[in-house]
C-alpha cells in the first residue's frame, strides 16, 4: 500500500485496488496522518504495510507514538528521499490532477468537493487503482 499527502488531502492505495482517503481543511498534520492510519488499520484484516515519502509528518513524534501503539496493525516503510516516482500513489495524484482542474473550480469548497467526488469514483473502480501498481517504476511493490 502506498500513501501520500498533498494540499488538503491524504490518500492510500492498495495493490488489490482499494483506496482510502481524507480531504481536510488546512495543513497536513500528524493528527490528520494518524486519522488516515487508523482508517487503514480499521479496514484491514491483517498487518498493513504502508509506503510513504519522508514528509516531516510521517516522521513526527506523534506518528511514531501512534505506530508504536499499533505495531501489529500498521508497518510503515519510508521511501528514499526525493524519489516520488517510486510511490504508486503519485500515479493516483497525477490521475486526480488530470481529471480535476483547479482552474475550472471557482469557490475553494468546490475544489475539495470535486476532489472527494473523484476519489469516491476511483474507490468504485478498483481495476484503475490496481493499474497504478503496474507502472514500470512501482512494480517493485507487487513483486
Amino acid at each position: 500500500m502506498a500513501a501520500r499527502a498533498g494540499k488538503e488531502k491524504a490518500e492510500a492505495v492498495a495493490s488489490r485496488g482499494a483506496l482510502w482517503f481524507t480531504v481536510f481543511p488546512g495543513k497536513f498534520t500528524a493528527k490528520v496522518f494518524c486519522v488516515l492510519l487508523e482508517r487503514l488499520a480499521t479496514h484491514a484484516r491483517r498487518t498493513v504495510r504502508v509506503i510513504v515519502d519522508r514528509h516531516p509528518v510521517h516522521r513526527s513524534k506523534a506518528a511514531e507514538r501512534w505506530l508504536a501503539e499499533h505495531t501489529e496493525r500498521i508497518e510503515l516503510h519510508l521511501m528514499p528521499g526525493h524519489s516520488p516516482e517510486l510511490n504508486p500513489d503519485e500515479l493516483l495524484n497525477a490521475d486526480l490532477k488530470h481529471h480535476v482542474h483547479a482552474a475550472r473550480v471557482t469557490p475553494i469548497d468546490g475544489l475539495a468537493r470535486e476532489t472527494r467526488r473523484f476519489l469516491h469514483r476511483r474507490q468504485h473502480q478498483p481495476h484503475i487503482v490496481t493499474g497504478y501498481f503496474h507502472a514500470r517504476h512501482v512494480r517493485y511493490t507487487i513483486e
Side-chain angles (χ1 to χ4, degrees), residues 16-37:
R16 293 187 176 144
L19 164 63
W20 297 268
F21 70 91
T22 183
V23 177
F24 52 90
K27 292 176 62 174
F28 179 57
T29 63
K31 182 178 179 180
V32 170
F33 182 52
C34 291
V35 166
L36 181 62
L37 291 175

Side-chain angles (χ1 to χ4, degrees), residues 30-49:
K31 182 178 179 180
V32 170
F33 182 52
C34 291
V35 166
L36 181 62
L37 291 175
E38 183 64 39
R39 189 177 294 170
L40 295 173
T42 300
H43 289 89
R45 292 185 176 97
R46 60 180 185 227
T47 302
V48 178
R49 290 172 183 83

Side-chain angles (χ1 to χ4, degrees), residues 61-83:
K61 296 286 183 204
E64 285 179 9
R65 278 192 303 275
W66 190 96
L67 290 161
E69 293 171 13
H70 300 90
T71 55
E72 74 289 348
R73 297 168 65 198
I74 298 280
E75 191 178 291
L76 199 68
H77 299 275
L78 293 171
M79 293 186 335
H82 306 292
S83 56

Side-chain angles (χ1 to χ4, degrees), residues 41-115:
T42 300
H43 289 89
R45 292 185 176 97
R46 60 180 185 227
T47 302
V48 178
R49 290 172 183 83
V50 181
I51 302 166
V52 295
D53 60 18
R54 293 185 177 271
H55 189 284
V57 167
H58 298 147
R59 298 176 286 127
S60 69
K61 296 286 183 204
E64 285 179 9
R65 278 192 303 275
W66 190 96
L67 290 161
E69 293 171 13
H70 300 90
T71 55
E72 74 289 348
R73 297 168 65 198
I74 298 280
E75 191 178 291
L76 199 68
H77 299 275
L78 293 171
M79 293 186 335
H82 306 292
S83 56
E85 72 281 357
L86 299 177
N87 193 342
D89 195 72
E90 290 291 344
L91 297 167
L92 169 65
N93 194 46
D95 192 15
L96 171 69
K97 286 179 180 180
H98 179 78
H99 288 92
V100 177
H101 302 282
R104 285 193 258 166
V105 181
T106 42
I108 193 72
D109 290 342
L111 183 56
R113 184 183 63 248
E114 289 303 312
T115 297

